[in-house]
Amino acid sequence: MKQTIRDKLEHLTGRLDELDRILSSSEATRDMDQYRKLTREHAELGPVVALYQTFRQTEATLQSALDMMADPEMKELAEEEMKDAKERLPEIENELQKLLLPKDANDERNVFLEIRAGTGGDESALFGGNLFRMYTRYAERQRWQVEIVSSSASDVGGYKEVIARIIGTGVYSKLKFESGAHRVQRVPETETQGRIHTSACTVAVMPEADELEEVTINPAEIRIDTFRASGAGGQHINKTDSAVRIVHLPTGIVVECQDGRSQHKNKAQAMSVLVARIRDAQEREQHAKRASTRKSLVGSGDRSERIRTYNFPQGRVTDHRINLTLYKIDAIMDGDIDELVGALANEHQAEQLAMLAEGGE
């Protein structure tokens, strides 16, 4: 084990002892917010320190076996213990390294999913509809809830733009690598010559903020407009100014919401999306700074970066970031994206482990 990793584990062992003393004191529950914070830290450190103790015990067993090798009568037993300890140590070390990987604070959050049609006109909007259905079906498999926040339907079907809130356990952890440009290659229904067309949509997956306070928005820096909603919705939706448009002047971010019946609900939804977009822009800026020194294997998450191609004539889906091609496009478009999601998560973990081994953060 590298000394830097061992030093970190020793530090965590000391911290757990310190937490034991603090939490067992009579003063521990005076500040309940602090108490909950410390108990959560204790719960996170416990498994790491316990596994490190197992590692040290296994090291001690190996050393004891080496000492026993000098005794002819104990040699056979010593060899058996050495073999077992040498096999276990790398396995335990690998598990310890995984436990030491930095946790993404957003992993358990709900998300806002945005899909926008790009190059390709009507065909791009149709593909946007296909992608939205794919994510909706995946959400159903995960027992997540999907709420459409805003949508702009295309005349031929699909969406020019759709924004949805996805609610459930660990949503961001599963969908965070979906941001980027998704390209489709297929023969459109309107194509009489049978030629394959290429079009694209951009996908953005943004963690929902717990509270609006997580991003400070100066009221003087936003403009809120109300207008009559367009499209289906009956008499009510066309006769009242229930739709809301919010413009964040410093960044130029514009959010519209018109799917709700009430102006109040639409404004609240639009503010939530605005906050998520501002946080997302801030985090992508920070990520870009980190990526300038080391590019993430699973991409920068840049909206313009082509991350995946869906080739219908060949029945394949290729993720360009990890060079993974799967020949099951029908299943994937029906929401069976576990293999893609898992492969991206594993690649990200492998990169983190490599950085840990190099002594990085």
Side-chain angles (χ1 to χ4, degrees):
M1 179 182 287
K2 284 194 68 172
Q3 190 59 44
T4 51
I5 295 174
R6 192 182 291 272
D7 290 345
K8 193 168 188 175
L9 288 163
E10 288 290 347
H11 170 73
L12 295 179
T13 301
R15 175 60 178 163
L16 189 65
D17 289 340
E18 182 185 6
L19 288 170
D20 281 332
R21 289 194 298 274
I22 295 171
L23 293 171
S24 61
S25 74
S26 57
E27 305 288 308
T29 55
R30 287 208 170 185
D31 182 342
M32 287 307 295
D33 285 340
Q34 180 70 0
Y35 179 74
R36 280 190 288 270
K37 183 181 173 184
L38 294 176
T39 52
R40 189 161 57 243
E41 185 185 356
H42 189 280
E44 288 173 358
L45 289 184
V48 184
V49 173
L51 191 59
Y52 180 48
Q53 298 300 341
T54 302
F55 181 84
R56 289 171 61 181
Q57 288 164 9
T58 307
E59 278 188 323
T61 300
L62 179 59
Q63 185 57 53
S64 175
L66 284 168
D67 294 342
M68 284 196 295
M69 287 291 286
D71 185 344
E73 292 182 7
M74 301 295 288
K75 188 176 180 181
E76 190 175 334
L77 175 63
E79 285 176 345
E80 193 175 315
E81 286 195 354
M82 278 178 62
K83 181 174 178 289
D84 182 52
K86 282 180 177 179
E87 285 176 359
R88 291 194 67 207
L89 280 173
E91 294 172 2
I92 299 171
E93 184 175 348
N94 188 48
E95 284 304 308
L96 276 170
Q97 289 186 7
K98 287 179 182 178
L99 289 174
L100 286 176
L101 292 179
K103 304 285 190 297
D104 189 330
N106 293 322
D107 272 353
E108 293 306 312
R109 293 181 188 266
N110 302 326
V111 305
F112 286 108
L113 168 72
E114 293 188 8
I115 300 172
R116 280 195 177 82
T119 54
D122 289 344
E123 175 63 11
S124 177
L126 287 169
F127 181 53
N130 297 150
L131 286 176
F132 183 63
R133 181 182 182 277
M134 177 183 82
Y135 290 123
T136 302
R137 295 284 290 121
Y138 180 65
E140 289 172 5
R141 292 165 187 254
Q142 303 294 317
R143 300 181 185 275
W144 296 337
Q145 183 183 347
V146 178
E147 296 176 352
I148 293 182
V149 174
S150 178
S151 63
S152 175
S154 161
D155 293 337
V156 297
Y159 294 102
K160 295 174 187 173
E161 175 188 284
V162 59
I163 303 172
R165 180 172 176 244
I166 304 180
I167 307 142
T169 303
V171 180
Y172 186 70
S173 68
K174 295 282 182 72
L175 294 180
K176 61 183 172 183
F177 299 122
E178 293 301 304
S179 293
H182 294 241
R183 185 176 70 170
V184 62
Q185 295 173 325
R186 63 184 174 189
V187 179
E189 291 179 13
T190 54
E191 171 58 60
T192 56
Q193 303 296 318
R195 290 174 299 189
I196 295 171
H197 286 225
T198 298
S199 55
C201 288
T202 55
V203 172
V205 176
M206 301 170 297
E208 181 183 36
D210 283 341
E211 299 290 343
L212 293 182
E213 288 76 24
E214 284 197 20
V215 173
T216 304
I217 295 179
N218 184 343
E221 293 182 342
I222 61 173
R223 188 179 76 241
I224 301 177
D225 303 319
T226 57
F227 58 98
R228 291 190 182 182
S230 59
Q235 293 181 337
H236 169 85
I237 202 163
N238 291 317
K239 286 188 176 179
T240 62
D241 291 345
S242 60
V244 174
R245 179 188 298 110
I246 301 178
V247 181
H248 186 240
L249 302 174
T251 60
I253 294 172
V254 180
V255 179
E256 287 185 7
C257 187
Q258 58 176 309
D259 277 36
R261 285 293 179 112
S262 79
Q263 186 186 113
H264 179 76
K265 184 179 178 183
N266 281 332
K267 182 181 175 184
Q269 284 276 39
M271 282 298 289
S272 293
V273 175
L274 178 64
V275 168
R277 282 191 185 169
I278 292 170
R279 284 182 79 248
D280 181 58
Q282 290 171 347
E283 289 185 5
R284 281 192 289 123
E285 185 180 350
Q286 290 170 2
H287 181 87
K289 289 176 182 175
R290 293 195 300 268
S292 65
T293 54
R294 183 185 183 116
K295 191 178 184 322
S296 172
L297 287 175
V298 291
S300 64
D302 191 318
R303 303 287 179 266
S304 63
E305 180 187 8
R306 187 190 71 192
I307 64 166
R308 195 175 294 152
T309 296
Y310 304 74
N311 186 303
F312 279 78
Q314 295 177 16
R316 66 173 170 82
V317 175
T318 298
D319 197 290
H320 304 288
R321 295 164 294 179
I322 54 176
N323 295 319
L324 173 66
T325 296
L326 301 174
Y327 287 89
K328 54 175 196 178
I329 196 165
D330 290 341
I332 287 170
M333 298 313 296
D334 194 42
D336 181 10
I337 61 172
D338 274 319
E339 197 169 346
L340 285 166
V341 167
L344 288 160
N346 289 339
E347 194 77 20
H348 180 58
Q349 186 181 76
E351 190 203 31
Q352 286 183 304
L353 285 168
M355 290 178 72
L356 184 67
E358 290 172 11
E361 292 299 321

